[in-house]
Amino acid sequence: MSTIAKVVVENATLHFDKLFSYLVPEGIPVSAGCRVTVPFGAGNRTRFGLVMELGEEDGGAKLKTIASLVDKEPLLNAEMLALVRYLKETTFCGYYDAVRTLLPPGIGVELKYTYELGEPVPEGEELPGDVRQVVDYLSGRGKPVREETMLAALGLAADAPVLRFLCENGTLIKSQEIRQRILDEKLVMVRLADGISELSDITGVKITAKQKAVVELLSRVGQASLKEVCYFAAVGKTVPDRLEKAGILHYFTREIYRNPYANRHAREDSNSIVLADEQEAAFESLCALADQDSPAAALLYGVTGSGKTEVFLRTIRHVLERGRGVIVMVPEISLTPQTIDRFHRYFGSQIAVLHSGLTMSERMDEWKRIKKGGARIVVGTRSAVFAPLDDIGLIVMDEEQESTYKSEQSPRYHARDVARVRVAYHKALLLLASATPSVESYYRARQEKYHLLTLKNRYGKANLPDVTILDMSTQALNASSASLSQELIEQLQSNLDHHEQSILLLNRRGYNTLVKCAVCSTVAQCPHCSVALTYHSANGHLMCHYCGYVARADEVCPTCGSKLLRFSGAGTQKVEQELRELFPDARILRMDMDTTMARFSHEKYFADFSAGKYDMIIGTQMVAKGLDFPNVTLVGVLSADASLYAQDYRSYERAFSLFTQVVGRSGRAEKAGRAYIQTFTPENTVISLAAAQDYDSFFAQEIESRRIHLYPPFCDMVGVGFSGLVNAQVRDAAQCFVAKFAELAGGEYPDLPLRVLGPCESQINRVAGKYRWRMAVKCSYNARFRTLLWRVVEWYYAQNAQKDVSVFIDPKYENSI
């Protein structure tokens, strides 16, 4: 009997993505969960794979043999291998896409090939020209030559017949080596070369306009990261690369420590946290659920500032005392600084951190530390749900309603669903926490599928803020600010006079959100996407927020040739400028994606704001949730209407959550708080309910609408997306897919309750040069429905006519279509 390994192979198309059987060579200690290299396909090209399971073979089948073992010990245990299968089945991804999701990016490896001469060629023997070329190139070299080096020098392809011929007759020896990918341990910095301090110092070299922009930027700031240079000069990386090659710029690296949170020790005992009566009751209920020998789920629903964090800090301590591990998830990086600092205060070095703000090497080190038992609490964003803890007792999802817990790339999983699978495996407790729970979660709690724990009052002496709704349609045309009402301006001045802090929310970055020709009204659009370009004053260019396209702001109109442009719509950059003009002595901080590109920028800015170094923040939604600043007594919501009217059945839910959360940042300590919501539709009930912090009334209104129109939680919504370079081909592919789906569903699955919507163009029809169409299915997302969908997907990929149009499945679709 021979040992066989069931292997999943990287880069296999979805149509051929399955478990492949390979013989295990004697003497190689292959285990399930290890990576291997295997010959694959008709050409036996070497590929990476992962062993999913081992078995025995009686010798009847002719199988290929595993080429080499990459990992001495398994990277994935039985639970993680089960998660790979779960992601494959439920999110319609490839097996290896799921494997990559579970592993840290820094742990990747790559294959490198080398060539050297084997059997010596007799002197004087006549050889064909291409053979002689290869032999002469390798002769006299003391060591093997890398494949890419030799191919480039000789102008050959990797599958050139001459190479195959020479390897088969022994003249060439081709070897492979497995190497760890280069880790991102250094931050690349840029400065002007010695002797150059301004543009006039450059002589004898002709430089382009873009290169001049880079030089002028560095002459002002001295030095900056390469990423910052590219953004603020609005250039690609090749521009500073050419300047560096010409000796005008100098690249250097700044050391990045592999564990940025090292040497943080516990400073307080979490048992010292004093809980109010309703917090104590919630804590005791959670301890009882965590102690039972079966999986459980609870929803901790409390108003903003009610002390939910204190409750689960105490619960975490209880779980740790039982010797079990904990995963705590926050929805985005901006919320990690305060969360991590608080956890380190109570738990010190027991904390491991996983989020995309760390370098690949740091994430890999943290992952290894967790896997080896060096950390018992994992704090991070969505991907932390896959942390390799052995014995999980508790998984916490803070702000559980946030859409960032859903992955928009393959595999399209929701962290809440993965968390349910993991707590079932470990017989643990899943704790969802929010002041504005998702409609589905609150509905499940009302149906007693989750244990509902409620905190109705703010912690300590804090009270909910007074909220005022401002009707912007009544503002005077000659107002001192286009973005801020006169009443909000007066309140900001009052806060400055009383040395109190303010937060302003505007969920649009950039300076102007719309630029169009003043003569013919043609809108400046991205040539690769169906969206308008946004003007950024920080770099003086128009930018696409979808594909990153950059254009000059002074280019002529492509329709009429006019240079007259009209700028309208306000982003965070414009409001920041208005604030500086209105309050010249105020210390103003802008926080959006443009100002938080640097590592740990969120942490630095929030620490500075907490320390009183700024008087007010203007920012996008990263300033709206989960933050606790005792001196913030004023919150302003600008352009509230932009969040209300999206083509999305969750638009009201998201808007209510955003308004409620940001209003809740005010008055969280002893000082009274107030909030102002600016809108052109003050009669909208979502705004008035958010102002009243009345989630129960909002839920009653929203759940009835969902019931009438049949949206989740009364059904599941599954989306099917199509994308390709030619719009007509994408349309035809979508129609072809729907026709096959209808044929199979009507013929073999008539028992399934289905409503098919579409196909139609996506709301943004073109992104990064690819056209997009979509369809949606209202269904019950069970195993039988997934079988139907898998059959259609496999049929689709077997059709050569559709090879230029890709398809993806979104099991948590949210558009109304």
Side-chain angles (χ1 to χ4, degrees):
M1 301 287 284
S2 301
T3 302
I4 63 165
K6 298 285 188 178
V7 178
V8 296
V9 180
E10 72 169 350
N11 300 329
T13 60
L14 203 59
H15 184 51
F16 292 104
D17 190 37
K18 60 182 181 180
L19 300 181
F20 295 94
S21 296
Y22 285 89
L23 287 173
V24 177
E26 290 187 14
I28 296 184
V30 173
S31 301
C34 289
R35 289 174 298 178
V36 293
T37 62
V38 295
F40 188 77
N44 286 329
R45 188 73 176 171
T46 303
R47 289 198 189 180
F48 286 109
L50 184 120
V51 178
M52 295 292 292
E53 58 186 77
L54 296 174
E56 292 186 342
E57 173 65 44
D58 59 9
K62 187 176 180 181
L63 301 176
K64 297 177 182 179
T65 302
I66 289 175
S68 65
L69 178 65
V70 176
D71 306 302
K72 295 180 180 179
E73 297 179 356
L75 290 180
L76 302 180
N77 60 17
E79 181 200 5
M80 292 298 172
L81 292 174
L83 278 179
V84 169
R85 295 186 179 92
Y86 166 81
L87 292 173
K88 163 74 173 178
E89 177 190 350
T90 61
T91 70
F92 290 76
C93 68
Y95 274 117
Y96 222 82
D97 288 334
V99 171
R100 290 190 186 98
T101 301
L102 269 62
L103 295 175
I107 210 164
V109 290
E110 58 186 350
L111 281 174
K112 291 293 184 181
Y113 295 97
T114 61
Y115 285 95
E116 60 184 317
L117 287 177
E119 295 292 332
V121 178
E123 291 187 14
E125 180 177 337
E126 290 192 15
L127 299 173
D130 54 354
V131 173
R132 172 57 62 188
Q133 182 185 27
V134 174
V135 171
D136 288 347
Y137 179 80
L138 293 174
S139 295
R141 296 181 180 267
K143 59 181 181 180
V145 178
R146 288 183 180 177
E147 180 184 53
E148 61 268 26
T149 302
M150 186 181 77
L151 296 180
L154 301 180
L156 296 174
D159 57 351
V162 63
L163 299 179
R164 193 180 312 117
F165 167 75
L166 290 173
C167 288
E168 288 173 353
N169 68 18
T171 302
L172 284 188
I173 298 176
K174 183 179 181 181
S175 304
Q176 72 175 34
E177 58 180 3
I178 299 168
R179 299 194 307 174
Q180 189 78 25
R181 292 190 189 276
I182 298 173
L183 299 180
D184 182 16
E185 298 180 11
K186 302 287 185 180
L187 182 65
V188 179
M189 302 293 292
V190 187
R191 64 173 175 80
L192 292 173
D194 294 339
I196 298 176
S197 58
E198 56 186 31
L199 199 60
S200 60
D201 293 331
I202 302 172
T203 57
V205 179
K206 186 177 181 181
I207 62 174
T208 65
K210 289 185 176 181
Q211 290 172 337
K212 287 180 181 177
V214 172
V215 173
E216 289 171 347
L217 172 67
L218 289 173
S219 67
R220 293 194 307 271
V221 301
Q223 63 181 39
S225 71
L226 181 58
K227 190 174 184 179
E228 290 170 326
V229 168
C230 291
Y231 172 76
F232 287 105
V235 298
K237 182 178 177 296
T238 56
V239 176
D241 280 349
R242 290 184 182 127
L243 287 170
E244 192 269 343
K245 191 174 182 180
I248 297 170
L249 298 187
H250 176 64
Y251 284 174
F252 63 101
T253 56
R254 178 175 292 169
E255 185 176 5
I256 296 174
Y257 297 102
R258 295 177 72 94
N259 183 1
Y261 303 106
N263 303 318
R264 293 202 181 182
H265 304 289
R267 305 187 297 277
E268 298 180 39
D269 184 353
S270 56
N271 287 322
S272 66
I273 297 173
V274 178
L275 302 180
D277 290 344
E278 62 179 1
Q279 289 177 305
E280 188 70 37
F283 165 64
E284 291 175 358
S285 297
L286 291 172
C287 289
L289 291 172
D291 289 344
Q292 66 185 29
D293 192 28
S294 59
L299 174 62
L300 182 60
Y301 159 50
V303 298
T304 56
S306 57
K308 295 181 290 295
T309 304
E310 284 76 11
V311 172
F312 59 70
L313 279 168
R314 286 283 299 275
T315 307
I316 289 168
R317 169 63 68 190
H318 178 81
V319 172
L320 291 178
E321 289 171 350
R322 294 186 64 216
R324 309 194 74 187
V326 178
I327 295 174
V328 180
M329 288 183 282
V330 293
E332 52 187 284
I333 292 176
S334 64
L335 295 184
T336 57
Q338 284 198 339
T339 304
I340 292 169
D341 182 68
R342 203 162 190 181
F343 274 72
H344 276 125
R345 189 193 317 165
Y346 292 114
F347 303 111
S349 60
Q350 296 184 81
I351 304 291
V353 180
L354 292 176
H355 62 72
S356 59
L358 304 179
T359 65
M360 289 193 297
S361 57
E362 288 167 349
R363 274 184 280 174
M364 184 174 69
D365 285 357
E366 290 289 80
W367 185 87
K368 288 180 177 178
R369 189 160 69 92
I370 298 164
K371 185 174 172 60
K372 293 178 180 178
R376 300 171 64 200
I377 304 172
V378 179
V379 179
T381 47
R382 179 180 64 227
S383 60
V385 75
F386 298 111
L389 283 172
D390 282 335
D391 184 12
I392 298 173
L394 173 67
I395 297 179
V396 179
M397 285 185 67
D398 197 15
E399 308 293 354
E400 67 88 27
Q401 80 285 353
E402 287 298 322
S403 60
T404 47
Y405 282 122
K406 159 94 182 315
S407 171
E408 296 300 332
Q409 295 180 335
S410 182
R412 289 175 169 80
Y413 67 92
H414 197 292
R416 183 171 51 233
D417 297 331
V418 177
R420 286 198 197 108
V421 173
R422 299 205 70 182
V423 298
Y425 182 89
H426 290 276
K427 297 181 180 179
L429 170 63
L430 171 61
L431 174 57
L432 310 175
S434 179
T436 54
S438 65
V439 170
E440 289 90 337
S441 292
Y442 196 64
Y443 180 78
R444 290 175 72 89
R446 295 277 289 267
Q447 298 291 310
E448 299 184 350
K449 294 179 181 178
Y450 293 158
H451 297 269
L452 179 60
L453 309 171
T454 305
L455 304 177
K456 297 180 179 180
N457 302 297
R458 278 198 156 185
Y459 182 68
K461 298 180 180 180
N463 294 310
L464 289 171
D466 295 325
V467 183
T468 302
I469 299 174
L470 300 174
D471 185 356
M472 294 299 287
S473 64
T474 64
Q475 295 297 307
L477 293 176
N478 60 348
S480 56
S481 169
S483 307
L484 304 168
S485 64
Q486 187 59 39
E487 187 168 357
L488 184 53
I489 292 172
E490 292 171 359
Q491 293 297 324
L492 288 168
Q493 184 62 58
S494 175
N495 256 32
L496 287 172
D497 295 340
H498 290 87
H499 305 291
E500 295 173 356
Q501 293 173 300
S502 308
I503 294 177
L504 298 177
L505 168 70
L506 176 59
N507 212 15
R508 294 175 175 174
R509 66 188 179 104
Y511 190 88
N512 292 114
T513 56
L514 184 67
V515 179
K516 61 182 180 180
C517 177
V519 177
C520 69
S521 297
T522 297
V523 175
Q525 280 199 313
C526 174
H528 312 298
C529 307
S530 304
V531 295
L533 296 172
T534 299
Y535 174 65
H536 283 239
S537 61
N539 61 13
H541 282 69
L542 304 177
M543 299 187 70
C544 174
H545 290 172
Y546 284 83
C547 71
Y549 171 79
V550 178
R552 291 174 58 90
D554 57 355
E555 290 183 351
V556 298
C557 172
T559 303
C560 70
S562 171
K563 285 189 176 184
L564 296 174
L565 296 178
R566 179 179 291 122
F567 296 82
S568 59
T572 52
Q573 291 179 0
K574 183 175 183 180
V575 174
E576 178 191 20
Q577 179 180 309
E578 291 184 6
L579 288 170
R580 294 190 185 282
E581 293 171 353
L582 290 166
F583 310 106
D585 296 327
R587 298 165 299 171
I588 299 166
L589 170 64
R590 173 167 59 88
M591 288 194 67
D592 53 29
M593 192 178 296
D594 300 325
T595 62
T596 57
M597 289 187 292
R599 278 168 44 86
F600 303 115
S601 53
H602 297 92
E603 191 168 25
K604 178 184 181 301
Y605 288 144
F606 286 141
D608 289 346
F609 188 74
S610 181
K613 295 181 180 179
Y614 293 99
D615 299 308
M616 59 185 76
I617 293 180
I618 169 66
T620 55
Q621 64 180 4
M622 65 177 65
V623 305
K625 320 176 199 76
L627 302 173
D628 190 357
F629 300 115
N631 198 37
V632 170
T633 57
L634 174 64
V635 163
V637 179
L638 313 185
S639 195
D641 306 292
S643 301
L644 283 170
Y645 305 111
Q647 290 186 3
D648 178 346
Y649 72 87
R650 292 189 190 276
S651 61
Y652 274 13
E653 178 185 351
R654 287 192 177 130
F656 177 87
S657 175
L658 183 63
F659 300 159
T660 303
Q661 293 283 348
V662 71
V663 165
R665 299 313 104 203
S666 177
R668 297 176 68 88
E670 295 183 3
K671 297 178 181 178
R674 60 208 189 282
Y676 291 82
I677 301 176
Q678 296 187 166
T679 175
F680 286 93
T681 56
E683 69 280 1
N684 191 298
T685 56
V686 173
I687 295 177
S688 59
L689 291 173
Q693 301 269 297
D694 189 356
Y695 177 82
D696 290 318
S697 296
F698 169 77
F699 174 80
Q701 172 183 293
E702 183 69 10
I703 200 69
E704 186 59 27
S705 175
R706 301 272 185 99
R707 191 192 311 274
I708 292 171
H709 297 100
L710 190 61
Y711 282 115
F714 301 104
C715 72
D716 293 313
M717 285 277 288
V718 177
V720 184
F722 308 86
S723 67
L725 296 174
V726 181
N727 196 30
Q729 289 181 351
V730 181
R731 177 201 62 209
D732 294 345
Q735 293 172 346
C736 183
F737 188 98
V738 172
K740 184 64 177 181
F741 182 89
E743 175 191 331
L744 270 180
E748 300 183 37
Y749 299 86
D751 55 306
L752 290 179
L754 302 172
R755 289 191 185 179
V756 179
L757 309 175
C760 66
E761 291 183 339
S762 294
Q763 181 180 358
I764 300 176
N765 180 227
R766 191 172 181 233
V767 172
K770 290 190 174 183
Y771 293 92
R772 309 188 305 167
W773 282 62
R774 59 183 177 172
M775 63 175 277
V777 184
K778 294 181 178 181
C779 63
S780 176
Y781 196 61
N782 53 30
R784 183 162 168 76
F785 173 80
R786 290 196 295 271
T787 300
L788 162 63
L789 199 51
W790 266 116
R791 288 183 62 185
V792 181
V793 169
E794 290 170 352
W795 169 86
Y796 176 87
Y797 275 105
Q799 311 302 306
N800 287 331
Q802 313 298 345
K803 64 181 180 179
D804 294 328
V805 179
S806 60
V807 63
F808 68 86
I809 309 298
D810 186 348
K812 294 285 184 180
Y813 192 66
E814 297 185 351
N815 281 298
S816 302
I817 206 167

Coordinates of all heavy atoms in Angstrom, one line a residue, residues 343-382:
F343 N -6.3 47.4 26.0 CA -6.0 46.0 26.3 C -4.6 45.8 26.8 O -4.4 45.0 27.7 CB -6.3 45.1 25.0 CG -7.7 44.7 24.8 CD1 -8.6 45.6 24.5 CD2 -8.1 43.4 25.0 CE1 -10.0 45.3 24.3 CE2 -9.4 43.0 24.8 CZ -10.3 44.0 24.5
H344 N -3.7 46.5 26.3 CA -2.3 46.4 26.8 C -2.3 46.9 28.3 O -1.5 46.4 29.1 CB -1.3 47.2 26.0 CG -0.8 46.5 24.8 ND1 -0.9 47.0 23.5 CD2 -0.2 45.3 24.7 CE1 -0.4 46.1 22.7 NE2 0.1 45.1 23.4
R345 N -3.1 47.9 28.6 CA -3.1 48.4 30.0 C -3.5 47.3 31.0 O -3.0 47.2 32.1 CB -4.1 49.5 30.1 CG -4.0 50.3 31.4 CD -5.2 51.2 31.6 NE -5.6 51.9 30.3 CZ -6.7 52.6 30.2 NH1 -7.7 52.5 31.1 NH2 -7.0 53.2 29.1
Y346 N -4.4 46.4 30.5 CA -4.9 45.4 31.4 C -4.2 44.0 31.2 O -4.1 43.2 32.2 CB -6.4 45.2 31.3 CG -7.2 46.4 31.7 CD1 -7.9 47.2 30.8 CD2 -7.2 46.8 33.1 CE1 -8.6 48.3 31.2 CE2 -7.9 47.9 33.5 CZ -8.6 48.6 32.6 OH -9.3 49.7 33.0
F347 N -3.8 43.7 30.0 CA -3.3 42.4 29.7 C -1.8 42.3 29.2 O -1.3 41.2 29.1 CB -4.2 41.7 28.7 CG -5.6 41.6 29.2 CD1 -6.6 42.4 28.5 CD2 -6.0 40.8 30.2 CE1 -7.9 42.3 28.9 CE2 -7.4 40.8 30.7 CZ -8.3 41.6 30.0
G348 N -1.2 43.4 29.0 CA 0.2 43.5 28.7 C 0.6 42.6 27.5 O 0.0 42.7 26.4
S349 N 1.7 41.8 27.7 CA 2.3 41.1 26.6 C 1.4 39.9 26.2 O 1.8 39.1 25.2 CB 3.7 40.6 27.0 OG 3.6 39.8 28.1
Q350 N 0.3 39.6 26.8 CA -0.6 38.5 26.4 C -1.3 38.9 25.1 O -2.0 38.0 24.5 CB -1.6 38.2 27.5 CG -1.1 37.7 28.8 CD -2.2 37.4 29.8 OE1 -2.8 36.3 29.7 NE2 -2.5 38.3 30.7
I351 N -1.2 40.2 24.7 CA -1.9 40.6 23.5 C -1.1 40.4 22.2 O 0.1 40.7 22.2 CB -2.2 42.1 23.6 CG1 -3.0 42.4 24.9 CG2 -2.9 42.7 22.4 CD1 -4.4 41.9 24.8
A352 N -1.7 39.9 21.2 CA -1.1 39.9 19.8 C -2.0 40.7 18.9 O -3.2 40.8 19.1 CB -1.0 38.5 19.3
V353 N -1.4 41.4 18.0 CA -2.2 42.3 17.1 C -2.1 41.9 15.7 O -1.0 41.6 15.2 CB -1.7 43.8 17.2 CG1 -2.4 44.7 16.4 CG2 -1.7 44.2 18.7
L354 N -3.2 41.8 15.0 CA -3.3 41.4 13.6 C -4.1 42.5 12.8 O -5.3 42.5 13.0 CB -3.9 40.0 13.4 CG -3.1 38.8 13.9 CD1 -3.9 37.6 13.7 CD2 -1.7 38.7 13.2
H355 N -3.5 43.3 12.0 CA -4.2 44.2 11.1 C -3.3 44.6 10.0 O -2.0 44.4 10.0 CB -4.9 45.3 11.8 CG -3.9 46.3 12.5 ND1 -3.0 47.1 11.8 CD2 -3.6 46.5 13.8 CE1 -2.3 47.8 12.6 NE2 -2.6 47.5 13.8
S356 N -3.8 45.2 8.9 CA -3.1 45.5 7.7 C -2.1 46.7 7.9 O -1.3 46.9 7.0 CB -4.0 45.8 6.5 OG -4.9 46.8 6.8
G357 N -2.2 47.4 9.0 CA -1.3 48.5 9.3 C 0.1 48.0 9.6 O 1.1 48.8 9.6
L358 N 0.3 46.7 10.0 CA 1.6 46.1 10.3 C 2.2 45.7 9.0 O 1.6 45.4 8.0 CB 1.4 44.9 11.2 CG 0.7 45.1 12.5 CD1 0.6 43.8 13.3 CD2 1.3 46.2 13.4
T359 N 3.6 45.6 9.0 CA 4.3 45.1 7.8 C 4.0 43.6 7.7 O 3.6 43.0 8.7 CB 5.8 45.4 8.0 OG1 6.3 44.6 9.1 CG2 6.1 46.9 8.2
M360 N 4.4 43.1 6.6 CA 4.2 41.6 6.4 C 5.0 40.8 7.4 O 4.6 39.8 8.0 CB 4.6 41.2 5.0 CG 3.6 41.7 3.9 SD 3.9 40.9 2.3 CE 5.6 41.4 1.9
S361 N 6.3 41.3 7.7 CA 7.1 40.6 8.7 C 6.5 40.6 10.1 O 6.5 39.7 10.8 CB 8.5 41.2 8.6 OG 8.5 42.5 8.9
E362 N 5.9 41.8 10.4 CA 5.3 41.9 11.8 C 4.1 41.0 11.9 O 3.9 40.4 12.9 CB 5.0 43.4 12.0 CG 6.2 44.3 12.3 CD 5.8 45.8 12.2 OE1 4.7 46.1 11.8 OE2 6.7 46.6 12.6
R363 N 3.3 41.0 10.8 CA 2.1 40.1 10.9 C 2.5 38.7 11.0 O 1.9 37.9 11.7 CB 1.2 40.4 9.7 CG 0.2 41.5 9.9 CD -0.7 41.7 8.7 NE 0.0 42.4 7.6 CZ -0.6 42.5 6.4 NH1 -1.7 42.0 6.1 NH2 0.1 43.2 5.4
M364 N 3.5 38.3 10.2 CA 4.0 36.9 10.3 C 4.5 36.6 11.7 O 4.2 35.5 12.2 CB 5.1 36.7 9.2 CG 5.5 35.2 9.1 SD 6.7 34.9 7.8 CE 8.1 35.7 8.4
D365 N 5.3 37.5 12.3 CA 5.8 37.2 13.6 C 4.7 37.1 14.6 O 4.7 36.2 15.5 CB 6.7 38.3 14.0 CG 8.1 38.2 13.3 OD1 8.3 37.3 12.6 OD2 8.9 39.1 13.5
E366 N 3.7 38.0 14.5 CA 2.5 37.9 15.4 C 1.8 36.5 15.2 O 1.3 35.9 16.2 CB 1.6 39.0 15.3 CG 2.1 40.4 15.7 CD 2.2 40.5 17.2 OE1 3.2 39.9 17.8 OE2 1.4 41.1 17.9
W367 N 1.6 36.2 14.0 CA 0.9 34.9 13.7 C 1.6 33.7 14.3 O 1.0 32.8 14.8 CB 0.7 34.8 12.1 CG 0.0 33.6 11.7 CD1 -1.4 33.5 11.5 CD2 0.5 32.3 11.3 NE1 -1.8 32.3 11.1 CE2 -0.6 31.5 10.9 CE3 1.7 31.8 11.3 CZ2 -0.5 30.2 10.5 CZ3 1.9 30.4 10.9 CH2 0.8 29.7 10.5
K368 N 2.9 33.7 14.1 CA 3.7 32.6 14.7 C 3.7 32.6 16.2 O 3.6 31.5 16.8 CB 5.2 32.7 14.2 CG 5.4 32.4 12.7 CD 6.9 32.5 12.4 CE 7.1 32.1 10.9 NZ 8.5 32.3 10.5
R369 N 3.7 33.8 16.8 CA 3.6 33.8 18.2 C 2.3 33.3 18.7 O 2.2 32.6 19.8 CB 3.8 35.3 18.7 CG 4.0 35.5 20.2 CD 4.6 36.8 20.5 NE 3.8 37.9 20.2 CZ 2.9 38.5 21.1 NH1 2.9 38.0 22.4 NH2 2.2 39.5 20.8
I370 N 1.2 33.6 18.0 CA -0.1 33.1 18.4 C -0.1 31.6 18.3 O -0.6 30.9 19.2 CB -1.2 33.7 17.5 CG1 -1.3 35.2 17.7 CG2 -2.6 33.1 17.8 CD1 -2.0 36.0 16.7
K371 N 0.4 31.1 17.1 CA 0.3 29.7 16.8 C 1.1 28.9 17.9 O 0.8 27.7 18.3 CB 0.9 29.4 15.4 CG 0.8 28.0 15.0 CD 1.3 27.9 13.5 CE 1.4 26.4 13.1 NZ 0.1 25.7 13.2
K372 N 2.2 29.5 18.4 CA 3.1 28.8 19.4 C 2.6 29.0 20.8 O 3.3 28.5 21.7 CB 4.5 29.2 19.2 CG 5.2 28.8 17.9 CD 6.6 29.3 17.8 CE 7.2 28.9 16.4 NZ 8.6 29.4 16.3
G373 N 1.5 29.7 21.0 CA 1.0 29.9 22.3 C 1.5 31.0 23.1 O 1.3 31.1 24.3
G374 N 2.2 31.9 22.4 CA 2.9 33.1 23.1 C 1.9 34.2 23.4 O 2.3 35.2 24.0
A375 N 0.7 34.1 22.8 CA -0.3 35.2 23.1 C -1.7 34.5 23.3 O -2.0 33.5 22.6 CB -0.4 36.2 21.9
R376 N -2.4 35.0 24.2 CA -3.7 34.4 24.5 C -4.9 35.3 24.1 O -6.0 34.9 24.1 CB -3.8 34.1 26.0 CG -2.7 33.2 26.5 CD -2.7 33.0 28.0 NE -3.9 32.5 28.5 CZ -4.3 32.6 29.8 NH1 -3.6 33.3 30.6 NH2 -5.5 32.0 30.1
I377 N -4.6 36.6 23.8 CA -5.6 37.5 23.3 C -5.2 38.0 21.9 O -4.1 38.5 21.8 CB -5.9 38.6 24.3 CG1 -6.2 38.1 25.7 CG2 -7.0 39.5 23.8 CD1 -6.3 39.2 26.7
V378 N -6.0 38.0 20.9 CA -5.7 38.5 19.6 C -6.7 39.7 19.4 O -7.9 39.5 19.4 CB -5.9 37.4 18.5 CG1 -5.6 38.0 17.1 CG2 -5.0 36.3 18.8
V379 N -6.1 40.8 19.1 CA -6.9 42.0 18.7 C -6.6 42.4 17.3 O -5.4 42.5 16.9 CB -6.6 43.2 19.7 CG1 -7.4 44.4 19.3 CG2 -6.8 42.8 21.1
G380 N -7.6 42.7 16.5 CA -7.4 43.0 15.1 C -8.6 43.3 14.4 O -9.7 43.3 14.9
T381 N -8.5 43.5 13.1 CA -9.6 43.8 12.2 C -10.1 42.4 11.7 O -9.9 41.4 12.3 CB -9.2 44.7 11.0 OG1 -7.9 44.2 10.5 CG2 -8.9 46.1 11.5
R382 N -10.9 42.5 10.6 CA -11.6 41.3 10.1 C -10.8 40.0 10.0 O -11.2 38.9 10.5 CB -12.1 41.6 8.7 CG -12.9 40.5 8.0 CD -13.4 41.0 6.6 NE -12.2 41.3 5.7 CZ -12.1 42.4 5.0 NH1 -13.0 43.3 5.0 NH2 -11.1 42.5 4.2

